[in-house]
Amino acid sequence: MIIRQATSQDRPGIETILQDAYVAYVPRIGRKPGPMLDDYGELIAAGETFVVEDGGHVLGVLVLKDEPDALLLDNVAVHPEAQGRGLGRGLISFAQEEARRRGHPAIRLYTNEAMTENVAFYERLGFVETHRCEDKGFRRVFMTKKL
């Protein structure tokens, strides 16, 4: 497993991963989740996007954004066919190390309230719910992990 910064050549693969990873949530949420609406050309150009490769294939994506008091894990997704292999955990571990490297005392994330399995997954990784609210038209659960 290799985690590296995404390049513009990765964009089609990233968009496929996000489409396939999030499409199952559309009926539950009632519309496309936020990560399906982001401009990945812009996020890649800003240096905020990373990918995980295994066997030369991009199988997961991670978007990290610096904030004043924490590193925001803005998105993490693994292609459904590659789930269950530890790639998501690997990406989150990478994000935590990146937060430490950048001098952040914590890492934050949010997920949609309807994605209950994600909330449970993040809790198992040591994230603690801080609050819930409507944000950009979505009901979101915000979580933090002190490093």
Side-chain angles (χ1 to χ4, degrees), residues 16-144:
T16 297
I17 289 166
L18 294 166
Q19 171 65 31
D20 293 349
Y22 285 102
V23 71
Y25 293 111
V26 172
R28 203 184 297 181
I29 295 170
R31 64 184 178 142
K32 288 183 177 181
M36 293 177 81
L37 306 173
D38 289 340
D39 181 341
Y40 287 89
E42 184 179 301
L43 292 169
I44 291 167
E48 297 174 331
T49 308
F50 298 83
V51 294
V52 60
E53 282 184 343
D54 194 16
H57 301 286
V58 174
L59 300 175
V61 61
L62 174 70
V63 178
L64 301 175
K65 297 183 176 188
D66 284 300
E67 293 189 331
D69 59 345
L71 184 65
L72 174 66
L73 193 165
D74 190 53
N75 185 19
V76 60
V78 174
H79 194 278
E81 292 177 5
Q83 291 177 2
R85 296 173 34 193
L87 300 176
R89 285 181 186 268
L91 286 165
I92 293 171
S93 179
F94 173 85
Q96 291 174 127
E97 290 305 314
E98 188 66 13
R100 287 184 186 98
R101 188 186 72 74
R102 295 181 189 189
H104 291 291
I107 187 164
R108 293 185 331 105
L109 60 80
Y110 57 86
T111 191
N112 195 290
E113 275 186 349
M115 298 178 181
T116 55
E117 59 272 75
N118 290 352
V119 174
F121 175 68
Y122 297 134
E123 287 175 340
R124 285 192 305 274
L125 296 179
F127 286 85
V128 176
E129 182 177 329
T130 58
H131 64 287
R132 294 177 183 227
C133 68
E134 186 168 322
D135 179 52
K136 299 178 184 173
F138 295 98
R139 291 290 310 161
R140 292 185 169 158
V141 179
F142 290 80
M143 306 178 87
T144 299

